Amino acid sequence: MEIIEGKMPFMGYETYYRIVGKRSKKPPLVLLHGGPGSSHNYFEVLDELAQKDGRRIIMYDQLGCGESSIPDDHPELYTKETWVKELVALREHLALRKMHLLGQSWGGMLAIIYMCDYHPKGIQSLILSSTLSSASLWSKELHRMIKYLPIEEQAAIHRAELTSNFNDPDYLKANEHFMNQHAIDMTKTWPECVMRKKRGGTVAYETAWGPNEYTPEGNLHDYEYTNKLGKIKVPTLITSGTDDLCTPYVAKTMQDEIAGSKWRLFEGCGHMSFVEQTDEYVALLQKWLDQYDE
């Protein structure tokens, strides 16, 4: 399978990108990773889609993580405006006039911001994977799910949020348990790209989101797009898992507001259904993308 790696100049830095598959008449699929700061790594499980569907898959590391520049001495760069500007620059650099767009977790937030505030042309369809339209609803739902943890783990998370001590061993243990339940169970063995150690990303995450997942305190704390979702007019597919950080309530909230959108709920999956049920996810994407290529 043909894989092209490159770097694009961006704001005095460099953005790494990875293109899988051969050029074809089909519009490529561009992938926006989570975090902020998670890097493209886990998206490599979708490489087989390029082979099966005969279209290019394009992924990249957003500024602040992975193989892209990591200007952690300038945390003021880590804003939604910078990351949208980077996506726009990538489209220009790779001449992506027509494309499908998939955003997972924070990447889905970035896609929603891009669609609602910038009204881009040439987006054939949108896939919102385990994402959110409201930071406050996300926080509320995660705190609801914390109540299902053992009482001592609930207390450890509550204590850390009160004291801002997120290095406490009891908190770290409770947080790991929660994330294994609702993000992805890292006690299991996954493909190499999922297990691969990430470069950087911590400063980007803490600057934009905050010191923990449950309570957004960074510059995205006021991310509230539920009432803007009606601006999205392209075909939209929402995907999530039954055990996801993106709870069915969060996913349904987005589906209710995006006219004509479809929602696929993956049973038994957490925050990365494309990793946990790759074959089913690839089949779903292939059918969806082929439907909206024109």
Side-chain angles (χ1 to χ4, degrees), residues 203-226:
V203 176
Y205 179 82
E206 292 184 354
T207 301
W209 190 255
N212 77 353
E213 186 64 28
Y214 314 109
T215 306
E217 296 176 356
N219 57 49
L220 291 169
H221 72 277
D222 59 353
Y223 167 83
E224 298 295 334
Y225 273 73
T226 303

Side-chain angles (χ1 to χ4, degrees), residues 94-281:
L94 298 178
L96 302 174
R97 192 175 60 83
K98 289 171 68 175
M99 58 184 250
H100 299 272
L101 185 62
L102 183 154
Q104 189 263 347
S105 195
W106 145 250
M109 295 166 63
L110 179 58
I112 288 170
I113 293 164
Y114 182 49
M115 297 302 295
C116 292
D117 291 350
Y118 294 81
H119 317 292
K121 290 185 168 58
I123 306 296
Q124 299 298 109
S125 79
L126 179 66
I127 300 100
L128 298 174
S129 175
S130 296
T131 189
L132 57 143
S133 60
S134 164
S136 60
L137 178 59
W138 186 261
S139 180
K140 186 177 171 183
E141 280 291 89
L142 263 55
H143 281 96
R144 179 182 62 79
M145 291 198 294
I146 287 169
K147 294 173 185 172
Y148 292 97
L149 290 172
I151 194 73
E152 64 274 12
E153 293 185 356
Q154 295 182 47
I157 292 173
H158 182 60
R159 194 163 55 245
E161 293 199 300
L162 283 177
T163 61
S164 296
N165 178 13
F166 297 104
N167 295 314
D168 178 76
D170 289 340
Y171 164 76
L172 293 172
K173 183 182 173 187
N175 184 64
E176 183 179 23
H177 183 204
F178 185 88
M179 290 302 170
N180 280 340
Q181 284 186 328
H182 300 294
I184 191 166
D185 188 349
M186 291 304 282
T187 64
K188 295 181 179 178
T189 301
W190 301 105
E192 182 276 331
C193 62
V194 179
M195 308 296 284
R196 189 186 306 154
K197 188 172 171 57
K198 297 195 292 272
R199 285 185 69 246
T202 302
V203 176
Y205 179 82
E206 292 184 354
T207 301
W209 190 255
N212 77 353
E213 186 64 28
Y214 314 109
T215 306
E217 296 176 356
N219 57 49
L220 291 169
H221 72 277
D222 59 353
Y223 167 83
E224 298 295 334
Y225 273 73
T226 303
N227 292 336
K228 293 185 178 183
L229 292 176
K231 295 181 179 181
I232 297 176
K233 303 299 184 187
V234 302
T236 301
L237 173 65
I238 297 159
T239 67
S240 63
T242 53
D243 305 328
D244 206 330
L245 297 168
C246 168
T247 64
Y249 183 29
V250 170
K252 181 70 166 63
T253 298
M254 293 185 288
Q255 191 200 15
D256 285 348
E257 297 295 326
I258 303 174
S261 60
K262 307 289 185 192
W263 173 29
R264 169 71 180 272
L265 186 61
F266 284 83
E267 186 178 355
C269 287
H271 203 43
M272 299 178 202
S273 44
F274 54 89
V275 172
E276 295 182 81
Q277 293 187 19
T278 304
D279 291 345
E280 293 87 341
Y281 205 96

Side-chain angles (χ1 to χ4, degrees), residues 56-93:
R56 283 184 150 186
I57 312 294
I58 300 169
M59 55 196 81
Y60 68 100
D61 290 336
Q62 296 158 24
L63 191 71
C65 69
E67 301 303 317
S68 292
S69 299
I70 305 177
D72 285 351
D73 51 342
H74 288 286
E76 71 278 1
L77 289 169
Y78 298 141
T79 65
K80 64 181 192 287
E81 290 80 12
T82 295
W83 286 309
V84 169
K85 199 181 292 184
E86 185 178 35
L87 173 56
V88 171
L90 187 81
R91 285 193 72 179
E92 290 178 4
H93 186 74

